[in-house]
Amino acid sequence: MIILRRLEFQEQECNVTNNQRSKTGDSNSESSTPKERDNEYLKQGLPAVEGLSNEFTNVKKAVRIEHDTFINTCSSLASRIVEIRQLVTRCASSEIGSFLKEMKGFLEDCEEELKLVREKQNRTMELVKRTAEYYQARGSKEKWEHPLQLFVIVKEFLGMVDRVCADIIVSFPSQEMSEPFSVLDKRNRFTRLILFYLRKGREETRSETMASERLGEVISMKEEVIKKACSIAMKAHELPEKQLYLVEKNGGSSDVIFGFPGSWSISDWFSGSPFGEKKIDPHPPQFASLRSIGNDQVATVNEAFLTRFQAILPQLQNEVGKAVAERKQIVFTGHSSAGPIAVLMTVWFLENLEKFIKSDPSTSRMPPICVTFGSPLVGDFIFNHALRRESWSHYFIHFVMRYDIVPRVLLAPLSSLEPELKIILHFLNPKHTTPMPEPTEEASALYVTVMRNASSVACHAACHLMGNTNKLSDTLLSFVELSPYRPFGTYVFCTGDRELVVVKNPDTVLQILFYSSQLSSEVEGPEIALRSVKDHLNYQSDLQNLETKGVAHLDNLQGLPLSSNVGAAGLGLVLNNLGLSTRARLCLCAAGELEEQKWRNLEKINKKKIDIERGLLALEGYKTRCEAGRLSYYDAFKLSKDTDDFNANVKRLELAGIFDEIKEMLKRYELPDEFEGHREWIDIGTRYRRIAEPGRPKRYRYTQRWLEYALKISAGSSGESCFWAEVEELCLRTINMGLFEDVKAHILSLEKQVDKWVQDRELGDDIFFEDSTFVKWWKTLPQLHRSGSCIAKFINN
Amino acid sequence: MSQFSLFSSGIELANLVVSSGLLKLSWDKISELYTELNQSEEIRWKVYQQPQSNCIIVAFVVSPNRTKQLLEEEELVPSSSLPFFHFLRTKIDSSFSISKAAVTLFDCVLDQLSSFKDRVGNSISMIITGHCLGGSVASLFTLCLLKSINQPGTKRPLCITFGAPLIGDKGLQQAISQNLMWNSDFLHVAASQDLVPRFFISPYNPNAMEIDSQIGIYKPFGIFLLCSKYGCSSLEDPEAVSEVLVAMDLEIARNKPPNEQWHMFDYGAVVKRLMSTISFKGISQLSEMIECPRQAGIVLQLQAIGLNRRQQSGDSNPLIAKLEKCEEAFVSKRKMGFDPSKKLNKRKEDMAKLEWYKKVSKSEDKGYYDSYKNRGSKKDLHVVTFKKSLTNYWKEMVAEVERMPQKEEASFRTRWLYGGTNYRRMVEPLDIADYYKENGKKDYKANGRSEHYIKLEKWLEEAGKPLSSQVITRKQNVSASLTEDSCFWAHVEEALIQCELLRNGQEEESTRKKLIEFEEYVMEQIKEYAVSPEIFLGGSSFMQWWKDYEQIVGTSYKSQLTDFMKSRLYQQYH
């Protein structure tokens, strides 16, 4: 927070100097070109921001202090002193020696010193507490656990700043400074990024301040862009049949907007399976990220939308490439069934962003934005899980009118609504020319069917959110199939009453999708049903006066008012506007609680990092000691002769316990989606896997998949930790059967892999020790084979 | 996760069931079946194949006249005369009773059902449904199906009853709710206006006045979907179900003339209304500020089933407070449930430590049995702690298995058999050492052996296949393995005592016989490579025995074992 304030201050200062400079620049007319000016700004700005991190090194150190131990150290020391003193007095009664004298003196010194330390501690804590209180947002409900948490927050922020700076330096080689345009662009980006993080930081500490902001700020996107995107999304529907997309680029503007036309034929919405769903084909890996890594499950998407996306992609690729080269902010947009196309385009773009940068390092690193209006759902919960893991989900903004039926329509199977949907789609098609009566009956039928299915999906999800352990909800699934689709990204609900509600938690979105279109009375039925269809075309007119709309977030879900007659302002008002009943509110609370629980689980796991670290160090130490004894640690462990071997075994089991726990949580999706993307955990997992893999239980497979995924390599190729298992296997085969020729191919491939692993330093030299199982076995192979082997060089040395 | 206790999800589960459409599907079949029911028929059942899905519906209906007749008797039949349901018994509570009405009707169709069951198997999803006493029969038939479902992954049947009376006592309730899966296979739909579901629990039942009445003995099991004209909710905790059924009875009795004629209640209208209310919002106002989500949930539930229409909170309505307590107890009971996989890794650590202890003891030429018995050093004292945690773990495990109905138990225990056997072979010798250390104690197997060792050994025998493989492979690994008979050392100790007796010149004949038996036993074990070579270490009790025995029998005595020992063949035994 201090830094936030400082940064804001610096920004102001910078602006002031900028103004001054520009004034002086004006007066001195040609003395400084714009290019030089920009250089100047950057030279000033970057080091100042970078310097922050150095300035706060002590804060970073302070983060490592554990509050409780810190507080209790003094008292525990004091109690020990008392103990010693008692011992000393007891000794004193029996004999008097110089030791006792010495001891007494020492004790006195100790007490003196402890007093001082205590005083200092109290003073420091007082200071920290006051600082924390000052910076804690006023009226904030969520209190920090203890004042030291201030340091954690500051450190996290510093991390963000560092990352931004690194980004800038990487994408900003000094030779390029001669080009004024790029500098300007980068500087813009620099301030934008900083502002983005400032906002993010602010958002995290904000309590209930709402309705006072503008949408653009909340989702960090300009209102004009949203409006322009909306108009392009609608205009795209009018395109002639053959044209598959619409591009809007103004020379001056920094954005390029791609819009797609929707389709109104039912076969472009549903195909094949009951809900038109299809698992993403892992080969070729067009969407390599769309899976759950450890669990090794791929995401499911709507097949019809995927097919359409694939038809459009080849035509679009070049145009996108051009825009990237021009360092434009790319926006994909779509209304109705074009929404999913925009979504898939965005995911495709994100998947290939690295490639764009690799092929041309000067291209912009700016992530794309995806804006959809009344889009049907696209993917399942793994789709959402993957986007969150990659931290991509905030690039997706979905606008949904409160009653619009289309975003909910894929919650029902095709068989239940085909005839009605056909007519409704025809009615919605902007290209249809012959006037058509309002489809009142079809709308009602469609509304009832969709609501019934949405209710199943929402209630099933709610049972899970509320921690229901009853197996009935699962047993039911063997009789009725539920829609696999789930929302993802940021949803903006338009309640129609000059208000927008921003929701980021996908579980919450699902519940709102169902509950917000419930009826308050039977009379309302036909009217709402018709509205649920007509609202689908009202996005443009509703978003006309976007700037004047109030904005509310629905992210802090704990402590929602459960009844509509309390809190007619603030959150209560928002919930009333969405028409959420007490039942609905309870579901939202549960969604918030589950998310909170996931973070608590993560915290619990993170606390174990120290244990893991200690265990790994012990095992790695063991390995070194074994190597010093010219015995590979695998063999030493197998023989298990010394206490050292035994301790290693106990450590191994301890680690196994922790990793099993993590594996179980991942399997049940009880950790935040981001977990498997944490570099730190991937590293720890890999270290663990390499050091402790005698057999091959599942936990290793999880960590192996993390690594393979992070390095973007093919599955199964980083099996170096299975090395010993393979050796043992081959030992058995060559000894028992004796026929070398049978296993020759296997041996050759192992040797080749070993060669590679050793060169990549993934396997240690210890496998080549004289007494290692591997060498002993290798020496039993035929001479002819050994002389020509690619690893002979290692063993003969 | 901790949110378990924060929310009450009864309404959500109930609405999931309603919107799934399964209630309508089942009821449609029942009303179709009623039209086919002959005047003379007592009970009728039929199987309906669902188009385009691998799912069948089995429906039961009972003629209204017969129903009326049977409902007058509330007699129970004890499990001892129900051989067909013996599989439900657990080792701990082995008796239960089932309503005579249900059993009588079930017996009428038992033969047909058995052959149908054998024909269909567990390969397709099955909904078993029935109305009123037909529902009771449906429940009993579902129980029969559960008997043959064991492996995870087989299709679980779902039993949906409409307005069925309670059919069993506390024993049956416990047998079923012991297993989470079993309990959630039963869904009982009960409308607030229908008397039958609470017939056997109602304090207003005229029979309740009679002295030998069995009203109140009946207990619910399974999940109850309670509905009124205001909505529906589900309840799982049997305690809560009883409370609510009684409360419903009171509520209705207040509003109705007491001597109203009983009639079959039509659930078709109820189901239809429930389906149509899905798109309605329901209440969003609570008259009192309730902040606790669980309490709010319970208030909503009671409102949905037509109780507590005045929206009182827990302070003013005792039922809410009671339900809240029930829910809390239910959840925490479930949470406390023993999960053997939870601490498994910790126990593996303990075993590793013991193994290490064994190794160290061996290097001291003593064997871990004798090392532990003598408690010569610090490490022997350490062993006590992890021995204790291991023993507690396995005792709990065995107790857990004992509580399961027989059918479930079998598959469960085979999963843990390997670990259990290893544990028994490793740890029981230590218990034996403790036992014989106390002077004068005799006959461990009869007096000192803990129940859970006996059980673990019995499971191994029942599993049929010997865990340690062929003699040849055993021979290869004998130096590292454990003595197979975990009571080996008890035999040794007994033999030592016998030697002592002989030296003191007591009970010549029988004692000698026992020692020869022991000789044969040991030789048998050695031939099978079933004992660990540790027993031949210098400081072992076995060698102590051999020294004693050698003296007693003298040099002239000859047997297989003495040959083996004298020729020092045992030095090659590893």
Side-chain angles (χ1 to χ4, degrees):
Chain A
M1 213 77 46
I2 317 167
I3 305 167
L4 272 179
R5 272 155 213 260
R6 278 195 53 154
L7 258 185
E8 279 170 316
F9 176 63
Q10 261 184 4
E11 246 187 17
Q12 279 169 11
E13 216 174 31
C14 235
N15 282 343
V16 172
T17 40
N18 283 355
N19 287 340
Q20 282 171 354
R21 287 278 168 82
S22 46
K23 268 181 211 148
T24 44
D26 280 345
S27 58
N28 292 351
S29 57
E30 268 113 63
S31 70
S32 64
T33 61
K35 170 184 89 185
E36 278 167 3
R37 256 202 330 259
D38 282 314
N39 276 348
E40 194 74 295
Y41 294 158
L42 257 162
K43 262 187 228 154
Q44 278 190 329
L46 206 54
V49 180
E50 275 183 299
L52 272 180
S53 182
N54 293 335
E55 250 186 274
F56 283 90
T57 34
N58 280 333
V59 172
K60 284 200 231 164
K61 274 187 209 152
V63 171
R64 275 176 238 145
I65 301 174
E66 214 185 288
H67 182 254
D68 291 349
T69 25
F70 177 66
I71 293 295
N72 296 332
T73 320
C74 271
S75 44
S76 69
L77 277 178
S79 68
R80 281 211 200 119
I81 288 176
V82 171
E83 265 173 46
I84 298 175
R85 187 166 281 278
Q86 274 168 355
L87 196 72
V88 169
T89 39
R90 225 180 298 150
C91 290
S93 57
S94 58
E95 53 175 327
I96 296 166
S98 56
F99 166 69
L100 276 181
K101 252 187 215 159
E102 193 91 14
M103 204 58 204
K104 270 184 185 159
F106 167 66
L107 274 177
E108 264 154 30
D109 285 352
C110 275
E111 272 162 344
E112 204 60 39
E113 196 136 338
L114 202 64
K115 225 190 256 167
L116 272 175
V117 171
R118 221 181 233 158
E119 258 174 43
K120 266 190 191 166
Q121 186 193 348
N122 285 344
R123 239 182 299 145
T124 321
M125 281 312 288
E126 200 51 48
L127 262 175
V128 173
K129 233 180 243 167
R130 256 192 288 156
T131 326
E133 265 160 22
Y134 177 69
Y135 285 108
Q136 217 163 0
R138 263 146 283 158
S140 154
K141 262 193 300 177
E142 91 188 78
K143 281 272 178 299
W144 295 338
E145 230 174 281
H146 48 75
L148 289 186
Q149 208 160 337
L150 176 70
F151 296 127
V152 180
I153 292 168
V154 172
K155 189 202 160 198
E156 269 165 21
F157 181 76
L158 285 174
M160 282 192 231
V161 172
D162 281 352
R163 254 174 288 155
V164 176
C165 288
D167 254 21
I168 290 168
I169 290 164
V170 167
S171 60
F172 196 52
S174 50
Q175 324 65 305
E176 261 190 51
M177 286 208 182
S178 49
E179 200 189 323
F181 174 74
S182 85
V183 175
L184 204 72
D185 181 58
K186 292 239 156 84
R187 199 198 53 175
N188 277 347
R189 265 192 51 222
F190 175 58
T191 22
R192 259 166 87 175
L193 275 167
I194 291 283
L195 275 174
F196 171 74
Y197 284 117
L198 273 173
R199 242 176 255 133
K200 208 168 156 190
R202 231 187 255 149
E203 230 175 85
E204 274 160 17
T205 48
R206 179 175 25 223
S207 53
E208 271 189 64
T209 52
M210 45 174 45
S212 57
E213 289 155 288
R214 287 165 55 173
L215 179 69
E217 254 181 70
V218 178
I219 56 177
S220 45
M221 196 178 160
K222 280 176 283 182
E223 281 93 350
E224 310 94 75
V225 180
I226 297 170
K227 273 161 62 177
K228 208 156 64 178
C230 189
S231 87
I232 286 170
M234 298 311 288
K235 220 161 56 183
H237 289 317
E238 320 271 344
L239 286 176
E241 199 77 17
K242 274 184 200 151
Q243 210 175 324
L244 293 175
Y245 64 93
L246 187 68
V247 204
E248 166 95 6
K249 43 184 173 183
N250 282 334
S253 145
S254 56
D255 313 294
V256 175
I257 304 178
F258 291 89
F260 304 93
S263 164
W264 313 94
S265 133
I266 205 160
S267 59
D268 282 336
W269 291 61
F270 284 95
S271 65
S273 41
F275 296 90
E277 76 273 25
K278 189 194 172 196
K279 276 209 163 116
I280 283 184
D281 193 358
H283 305 287
Q286 188 173 28
F287 292 113
S289 305
L290 293 182
R291 60 198 188 95
S292 166
I293 304 167
N295 292 321
D296 204 21
Q297 292 169 307
V298 291
T300 296
V301 293
N302 180 304
E303 189 179 7
F305 296 148
L306 188 65
T307 317
R308 243 181 103 68
F309 154 78
Q310 265 148 357
I312 299 176
L313 182 64
Q315 300 193 23
L316 193 76
Q317 248 164 335
N318 284 338
E319 192 97 38
V320 173
K322 233 190 306 171
V324 172
E326 287 169 11
R327 296 157 208 287
K328 299 278 191 182
Q329 165 73 66
I330 290 173
V331 180
F332 294 104
T333 186
H335 167 256
S336 194
S337 61
I341 312 299
V343 167
L344 292 171
M345 282 296 171
T346 314
V347 178
W348 164 81
F349 186 86
L350 286 163
E351 294 267 9
N352 290 290
L353 194 56
E354 296 279 317
K355 248 186 253 166
F356 280 126
I357 292 163
K358 233 182 235 165
S359 65
D360 178 7
S362 70
T363 51
S364 100
R365 223 168 231 278
M366 197 146 23
I369 298 176
C370 174
V371 195
T372 75
F373 304 91
S375 162
L377 298 173
V378 190
D380 65 346
F381 79 98
I382 296 178
F383 192 92
N384 167 52
H385 166 80
L387 292 188
R388 276 170 81 105
R389 182 192 60 233
E390 302 295 319
S391 316
W392 288 348
S393 65
H394 58 274
Y395 303 136
F396 297 84
I397 320 282
H398 308 287
F399 285 85
V400 170
M401 300 282 281
R402 178 175 159 193
Y403 287 109
D404 185 357
I405 196 91
V406 175
R408 291 137 172 134
V409 89
L410 280 180
L411 294 175
L414 174 64
S415 57
S416 69
L417 45 65
E418 192 170 2
E420 293 88 13
L421 187 61
K422 240 182 208 160
I423 292 167
I424 299 288
L425 285 180
H426 182 68
F427 174 75
L428 288 173
N429 188 348
K431 274 190 195 163
H432 85 242
T433 42
T434 47
M436 190 178 154
E438 289 187 337
T440 326
E441 257 170 55
E442 288 82 5
S444 286
L446 185 67
Y447 174 80
V448 169
T449 314
V450 170
M451 283 304 276
R452 190 167 78 76
N453 285 285
S455 160
S456 296
V457 177
C459 290
H460 189 264
C463 285
H464 171 68
L465 293 178
M466 294 185 173
N468 189 317
T469 47
N470 202 318
K471 297 275 181 279
L472 177 64
S473 59
D474 296 331
T475 311
L476 285 177
L477 292 189
S478 61
F479 298 98
V480 272
E481 201 179 343
L482 294 186
S483 167
Y485 301 113
R486 294 291 177 274
F488 68 92
T490 306
Y491 269 71
V492 183
F493 286 93
C494 316
T495 62
D497 294 327
R498 314 188 134 257
E499 190 178 51
L500 301 171
V501 186
V502 180
V503 192
K504 287 180 177 161
N505 177 328
D507 292 321
T508 316
V509 173
L510 181 68
Q511 298 297 326
I512 295 179
L513 279 178
F514 168 62
Y515 283 109
S516 69
S517 53
Q518 273 188 321
L519 309 170
S520 18
S521 71
E522 211 158 330
V523 202
E524 248 188 7
E527 182 205 326
I528 295 291
L530 197 59
R531 188 168 164 197
S532 78
V533 172
K534 284 162 129 187
D535 264 2
H536 187 53
L537 296 175
N538 284 344
Y539 285 92
Q540 210 169 356
S541 60
D542 194 79
L543 295 175
Q544 204 81 72
N545 48 354
L546 193 58
E547 294 84 351
T548 63
K549 286 195 183 244
V551 178
H553 323 235
L554 214 51
D555 279 330
N556 194 355
L557 296 163
Q558 279 139 328
L560 285 184
L562 294 174
S563 168
S564 66
N565 47 358
V566 281
L571 257 184
L573 190 68
V574 176
L575 299 176
N576 288 354
N577 283 344
L578 279 172
L580 298 183
S581 62
T582 303
R583 212 182 117 197
R585 292 163 195 230
L586 281 171
C587 292
L588 299 196
C589 282
E593 182 58 34
L594 183 66
E595 179 160 10
E596 198 61 22
Q597 182 63 41
K598 286 183 181 178
W599 286 103
R600 279 198 292 266
N601 287 344
L602 179 64
E603 216 169 290
K604 210 170 97 196
I605 294 285
N606 275 339
K607 273 192 194 140
K608 295 215 169 135
K609 236 188 247 170
I610 308 166
D611 291 334
I612 296 179
E613 194 67 34
R614 225 178 273 145
L616 285 176
L617 280 178
L619 282 181
E620 278 157 1
Y622 172 66
K623 188 177 170 197
T624 337
R625 282 195 295 282
C626 289
E627 278 162 26
R630 301 294 292 168
L631 191 67
S632 95
Y633 84 108
Y634 171 76
D635 289 308
F637 187 79
K638 213 169 108 190
L639 290 173
S640 206
K641 268 199 311 233
D642 303 325
T643 331
D644 209 18
D645 304 321
F646 161 67
N647 287 336
N649 191 20
V650 172
K651 273 278 170 293
R652 178 183 71 90
L653 287 165
E654 272 173 26
L655 285 176
I658 300 174
F659 274 92
D660 270 351
E661 202 179 329
I662 297 177
K663 187 200 83 195
E664 276 309 307
M665 284 190 177
L666 283 174
K667 214 160 125 194
R668 294 193 296 258
Y669 292 91
E670 282 176 358
L671 286 173
D673 296 317
E674 290 82 354
F675 179 79
E676 287 184 307
H678 287 179
R679 188 68 225 190
E680 209 179 342
W681 275 105
I682 297 171
D683 291 344
I684 288 180
T686 310
R687 267 172 74 197
Y688 165 65
R689 186 169 55 87
R690 290 201 175 138
I691 200 100
E693 182 168 27
R696 199 157 171 72
K698 266 208 178 111
R699 50 182 173 269
Y700 303 115
R701 257 178 266 153
Y702 270 69
T703 54
Q704 182 180 351
R705 285 192 207 119
W706 295 350
L707 179 72
E708 283 169 356
Y709 181 79
L711 298 178
K712 305 217 186 296
I713 52 181
S714 64
S717 57
S718 67
E720 76 286 349
S721 52
C722 291
F723 169 74
W724 288 110
E726 293 220 11
V727 171
E728 292 286 357
E729 193 69 23
L730 283 173
C731 272
L732 275 179
R733 285 176 68 177
T734 43
I735 287 167
N736 284 356
M737 291 173 268
L739 275 177
F740 172 70
E741 291 305 318
D742 287 352
V743 285
K744 189 172 176 186
H746 202 139
I747 292 174
L748 281 175
S749 87
L750 178 71
E751 284 178 343
K752 228 161 93 196
Q753 274 189 314
V754 168
D755 192 22
K756 187 174 173 307
W757 283 333
V758 171
Q759 274 167 18
D760 293 348
R761 303 209 161 271
E762 278 167 2
L763 271 179
D765 292 339
D766 59 333
I767 60 164
F768 299 118
F769 288 158
E770 199 75 10
D771 286 336
S772 113
T773 309
F774 177 64
V775 171
K776 274 190 198 157
W777 163 75
W778 192 77
K779 286 192 172 158
T780 64
L781 299 177
Q783 173 63 36
L784 192 67
H785 167 79
R786 276 187 288 149
S787 54
S789 165
C790 60
I791 55 169
K793 54 183 186 249
F794 297 121
I795 294 175
N796 296 335
N797 280 340
Chain B
M1 291 201 238
S2 75
Q3 86 265 23
F4 280 172
S5 48
L6 272 175
F7 297 93
S8 179
S9 55
I11 289 208
E12 301 306 321
L13 188 61
N15 277 286
L16 171 61
V17 171
V18 171
S19 53
S20 72
L22 292 182
L23 293 186
K24 188 173 178 316
L25 193 68
S26 309
W27 183 260
D28 286 350
K29 300 297 176 247
I30 288 175
S31 49
E32 196 182 322
L33 194 58
Y34 265 125
T35 61
E36 295 172 14
L37 188 71
N38 295 330
Q39 207 76 88
S40 57
E41 244 174 342
E42 261 185 56
I43 177 170
R44 189 176 179 87
W45 70 285
K46 194 170 173 184
V47 180
Y48 296 89
Q49 176 76 44
Q50 275 311 102
Q52 294 153 3
S53 74
N54 195 17
C55 161
I56 57 174
I57 299 174
V58 186
F60 294 88
V61 296
V62 176
S63 88
N65 287 336
R66 182 76 177 130
T67 304
K68 206 169 170 209
Q69 202 182 347
L70 282 168
L71 278 179
E72 313 252 289
E73 321 170 11
E74 76 272 11
E75 213 176 309
L76 284 161
V77 184
S79 54
S80 50
S81 43
L82 295 167
F84 197 73
F85 291 104
H86 272 185
F87 70 94
L88 277 175
R89 296 196 299 192
T90 65
K91 292 235 168 93
I92 297 165
D93 298 295
S94 59
S95 73
F96 57 87
S97 309
I98 298 180
S99 133
K100 193 174 176 191
V103 173
T104 318
L105 286 168
F106 185 64
D107 280 342
C108 301
V109 283
L110 182 58
D111 292 339
Q112 299 168 31
L113 283 176
S114 301
S115 66
F116 165 72
K117 195 184 102 190
D118 296 339
R119 211 169 55 238
V120 176
N122 293 323
S123 55
I124 55 176
S125 322
M126 203 188 298
I127 294 178
I128 301 102
T129 187
H131 178 218
C132 206
L133 281 175
S136 309
V137 179
S139 293
L140 291 183
F141 180 51
T142 311
L143 279 177
C144 298
L145 288 176
L146 292 180
K147 181 185 176 184
S148 45
I149 289 194
N150 241 333
Q151 293 78 27
T154 45
K155 295 268 164 66
R156 299 203 69 87
L158 176 63
C159 174
I160 304 178
T161 74
F162 294 90
L166 302 181
I167 59 165
D169 65 349
K170 199 163 181 67
L172 185 67
Q173 180 195 70
Q174 274 175 350
I176 294 173
S177 59
Q178 206 56 251
N179 184 312
L180 286 184
M181 292 302 278
W182 284 24
N183 200 44
S184 50
D185 283 334
F186 295 91
L187 180 72
H188 305 294
V189 184
S192 63
Q193 301 99 309
D194 186 5
L195 293 175
V196 181
R198 44 179 201 272
F199 206 70
F200 290 141
I201 208 172
S202 155
Y204 288 92
N205 188 317
N207 293 340
M209 305 298 167
E210 289 167 32
I211 295 165
D212 63 340
S213 161
Q214 288 177 307
I215 298 279
I217 289 182
Y218 283 91
K219 295 279 177 226
F221 65 85
I223 296 162
F224 274 72
L225 195 135
L226 302 157
C227 42
S228 75
K229 55 184 169 197
Y230 306 100
C232 63
S233 179
S234 68
L235 276 177
E236 191 184 6
D237 175 26
E239 282 299 309
V241 173
S242 304
E243 290 286 344
V244 169
L245 284 179
V246 171
M248 269 184 158
D249 213 53
L250 291 170
E251 177 87 10
I252 300 291
R254 236 198 322 248
N255 305 329
K256 265 193 183 166
N259 287 325
E260 200 196 7
Q261 264 298 305
W262 176 80
H263 63 279
M264 294 283 256
F265 188 83
D266 178 21
Y267 277 85
V270 174
V271 171
K272 204 171 152 204
R273 198 178 49 239
L274 287 179
M275 291 284 275
S276 69
T277 49
I278 287 172
S279 6
F280 294 114
K281 212 178 277 178
I283 59 136
S284 59
Q285 301 207 330
L286 294 174
S287 60
E288 276 168 87
M289 275 274 275
I290 298 174
E291 277 187 5
C292 162
R294 181 172 47 193
Q295 201 181 60
I298 290 173
V299 169
L300 286 187
Q301 284 177 30
L302 287 180
Q303 247 167 343
I305 58 180
L307 301 170
N308 190 41
R309 305 226 313 275
R310 270 151 283 120
Q311 299 184 2
Q312 292 153 322
S313 67
D315 307 325
S316 47
N317 187 338
L319 186 58
I320 293 178
K322 231 184 242 172
L323 286 186
E324 233 182 311
K325 260 201 198 112
C326 281
E327 179 118 3
E328 211 167 319
F330 186 65
V331 166
S332 67
K333 195 172 116 201
R334 198 162 272 192
K335 231 193 205 155
M336 299 302 282
F338 177 66
D339 180 5
S341 50
K342 233 188 217 158
K343 288 180 190 150
L344 189 65
N345 276 306
K346 205 84 201 127
R347 295 296 80 83
K348 278 191 193 159
E349 265 171 54
D350 289 335
M351 281 300 275
K353 283 180 192 157
L354 267 182
E355 233 154 81
W356 183 250
Y357 175 64
K358 181 168 169 265
K359 196 151 196 165
V360 172
S361 306
K362 193 173 168 185
S363 65
E364 288 165 4
D365 201 27
K366 232 194 229 164
Y368 79 113
Y369 173 77
D370 288 283
S371 174
Y372 180 79
K373 199 175 159 196
N374 300 334
R375 303 270 165 92
S377 65
K378 223 177 179 175
K379 68 178 194 308
D380 304 321
L381 293 174
H382 268 314
V383 175
V384 179
T385 47
F386 38 85
K387 173 178 161 280
K388 202 183 217 163
S389 59
L390 272 169
T391 308
N392 286 343
Y393 176 82
W394 282 103
K395 268 188 179 160
E396 208 175 339
M397 170 79 98
V398 171
E400 177 68 18
V401 172
E402 290 294 295
R403 279 194 292 270
M404 289 181 175
Q406 286 168 15
K407 262 297 163 190
E408 294 291 304
E409 181 204 315
S411 69
F412 183 80
R413 65 188 198 195
T414 38
R415 258 192 294 155
W416 300 101
L417 195 55
Y418 179 75
T421 306
N422 248 353
Y423 153 76
R424 179 169 56 84
R425 288 177 181 164
M426 180 66 102
V427 180
E428 191 169 5
L430 303 184
D431 270 334
I432 295 172
D434 277 336
Y435 183 80
Y436 284 100
K437 234 183 110 181
E438 284 181 48
N439 269 336
K441 278 209 173 173
K442 268 169 82 176
D443 206 0
Y444 166 82
K445 260 187 138 165
N447 305 324
R449 197 169 188 209
S450 163
E451 192 71 13
H452 77 289
Y453 289 127
I454 301 175
K455 293 264 160 60
L456 282 169
E457 193 174 346
K458 212 177 95 207
W459 296 355
L460 182 66
E461 278 164 25
E462 283 171 22
K465 46 184 180 216
L467 255 185
S468 38
S469 37
Q470 301 296 311
V471 176
I472 293 186
T473 46
R474 240 187 290 172
K475 187 180 166 193
Q476 281 172 356
N477 303 324
V478 75
S479 63
S481 66
L482 292 159
T483 303
E484 273 182 22
D485 182 359
S486 57
C487 285
F488 177 83
W489 289 104
H491 291 294
V492 175
E493 292 287 350
E494 291 293 325
L496 271 169
I497 293 171
Q498 250 107 49
C499 286
E500 185 72 30
L501 286 178
L502 273 185
R503 258 189 305 205
N504 299 341
Q506 289 171 318
E507 297 178 62
E508 276 282 320
E509 202 46 41
S510 63
T511 316
R512 261 185 199 281
K513 212 176 128 206
K514 272 187 195 153
L515 279 170
I516 288 170
E517 271 171 28
F518 175 67
E519 245 187 71
E520 280 164 3
Y521 162 75
V522 172
M523 207 50 226
E524 187 69 21
Q525 300 284 317
I526 291 171
K527 273 187 202 153
E528 295 267 311
Y529 285 97
V531 280
S532 157
E534 273 184 17
I535 64 165
F536 302 116
L537 291 174
S540 106
S541 292
F542 177 75
M543 293 309 272
Q544 177 64 42
W545 169 80
W546 169 241
K547 269 181 229 145
D548 290 359
Y549 192 60
E550 208 178 7
Q551 276 179 7
I552 289 169
V553 292
T555 44
S556 58
Y557 178 78
K558 240 172 122 56
S559 76
Q560 266 189 319
L561 184 70
T562 48
D563 287 348
F564 181 78
M565 297 303 288
K566 278 183 192 156
S567 56
R568 299 194 176 264
L569 268 174
Y570 60 80
Q571 284 168 345
Q572 286 152 31
Y573 178 85
H574 52 70

